[in-house]
């Protein structure tokens, strides 16, 4: 089965369910072999390069038939959640963060909520997704209320 060439910005999960993002597809200068440049979105966020054919093996594993292949391109709802997450991380104020958080509520999953909490140095208690989402929202709202207007010297 012929696979499409990965596109920069696409997200993939490997066989161990770890998330990666495509940086580029490059061409080896000596062999002209296509190489995938991708970044791990876990651990040290290392950047890797490997031949395109080996990239698919890392993503799909060693399957014998195409019916066994797991589709590894992240589905549109998850890609949309990741796009919202990037907008949240780029927000400059807590007011903007709350606005983005409210807009992305339907796309959130536990990984996204945890990532957003970590980015804001917020530790969430155990609970279901809705409880964690509301706790994150409340922490940002409280910080906005008590720290947003404070004068700094």
């Amino acid at each position: 089965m012929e696979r499409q060439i990965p596109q920069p910005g696409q997200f993939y999960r490997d066989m161990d369910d770890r998330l990666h993002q495509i940086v580029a597809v490059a061409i080896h200068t000596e062999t002209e072999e296509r190489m995938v440049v991708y970044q791990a979105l876990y651990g040290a966020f290392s950047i890797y390069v490997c031949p395109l054919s080996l990239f698919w093996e890392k993503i799909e594993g060693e399957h014998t038939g195409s019916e066994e292949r797991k589709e590894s391109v992240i589905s549109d709802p998850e890609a949309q959640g990741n796009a919202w997450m990037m907008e949240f991380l780029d927000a400059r104020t807590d007011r903007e963060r709350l606005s983005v958080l409210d807009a992305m509520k339907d796309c959130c999953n536990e990984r996204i909520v945890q990532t957003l909490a970590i980015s804001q140095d917020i530790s969430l208690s155990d609970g279901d997704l809705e409880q964690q989402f509301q706790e994150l929202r409340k922490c940002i709202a409280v910080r906005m209320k008590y720290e947003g207007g404070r004068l700094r010297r």
Side-chain angles (χ1 to χ4, degrees):
M1 180 172 141
E2 183 69 24
R3 295 298 311 239
Q4 290 184 331
I5 303 299
Q7 298 297 310
Q10 284 183 325
F11 296 91
Y12 289 84
R13 288 198 186 276
D14 64 17
M15 293 178 0
D16 297 323
D17 205 34
R18 296 176 299 194
L19 191 62
H20 303 269
Q21 184 174 22
I22 303 299
V23 175
V25 175
I27 299 173
H28 191 285
T29 59
E30 301 299 317
T31 65
E32 295 190 13
E33 182 178 14
R34 288 187 178 174
M35 309 293 276
V36 179
V37 181
Y38 61 99
Q39 182 172 19
L41 298 179
Y42 59 90
F45 292 84
S46 301
I47 296 178
Y48 299 97
V49 63
C50 74
L52 180 59
S53 59
L54 291 179
F55 175 77
W56 289 124
E57 286 179 19
K58 289 174 184 264
I59 296 299
E60 297 173 339
E62 309 223 1
H63 299 300
T64 55
S66 61
E67 66 279 358
E68 296 179 41
R69 290 184 179 189
K70 172 185 169 190
E71 185 56 49
S72 299
V73 177
I74 303 302
S75 63
D76 286 342
E78 189 164 348
Q80 184 179 12
N82 287 324
W84 279 114
M85 181 169 59
M86 295 308 293
E87 189 167 333
F88 178 93
L89 296 173
D90 288 340
R92 294 182 176 201
T93 67
D94 285 332
R95 185 174 308 284
E96 287 177 31
R97 286 183 197 94
L98 281 178
S99 177
V100 172
L101 196 59
D102 289 340
M104 69 185 292
K105 183 176 182 179
D106 294 336
C107 308
C108 280
N109 59 34
E110 189 173 330
R111 179 189 59 81
I112 290 174
V113 172
Q114 288 294 328
T115 300
L116 298 180
I118 290 168
S119 77
Q120 298 301 299
D121 206 20
I122 296 171
S123 179
L124 299 176
S125 59
D126 292 334
D128 65 17
L129 178 60
E130 179 64 26
Q131 290 170 326
Q132 289 183 342
F133 182 88
Q134 292 304 326
E135 185 177 352
L136 174 61
R137 193 184 188 298
K138 183 178 178 181
C139 287
I140 294 171
V142 167
R143 185 175 61 202
M144 184 175 74
K145 180 177 180 179
Y146 291 106
E147 293 183 10
R150 193 165 56 178
L151 295 175
R152 308 225 193 278
R153 293 183 188 197

